[in-house]
Amino acid sequence: MKVLDEANAELCRHRDLALTAYARRLLARGADIDGEEFRADLSKYAGELEAWRSKAMDRLRQFVEAMMERPSATLH
């Protein structure tokens, strides 16, 4: 479904921007880009962001499915 594809693309873009900003903050604080701690921190945050994106997509998918089942439903 096009709307879900577009939403997923937007969430991925935000996820990637957040991960880039986090990496820059780590590096600005003196993290070693080749170090294990940097990679571990970045990997952990990437997992958290992916969980956020996945959860958001699940909720959006449920919402779209509900609206398709009851197109006359209004949001309150």
Side-chain angles (χ1 to χ4, degrees), residues 37-54:
E37 187 175 343
F38 175 78
R39 283 186 289 225
D41 288 346
L42 209 54
S43 179
K44 180 182 176 193
Y45 191 57
E48 292 170 5
L49 289 170
E50 181 55 27
W52 164 80
R53 186 209 59 81
S54 179

Side-chain angles (χ1 to χ4, degrees), residues 62-76:
Q62 291 171 359
F63 174 77
V64 168
E65 288 171 0
M67 292 304 290
M68 290 176 67
E69 289 174 7
R70 295 183 22 208
S72 63
T74 58
L75 298 176
H76 297 282

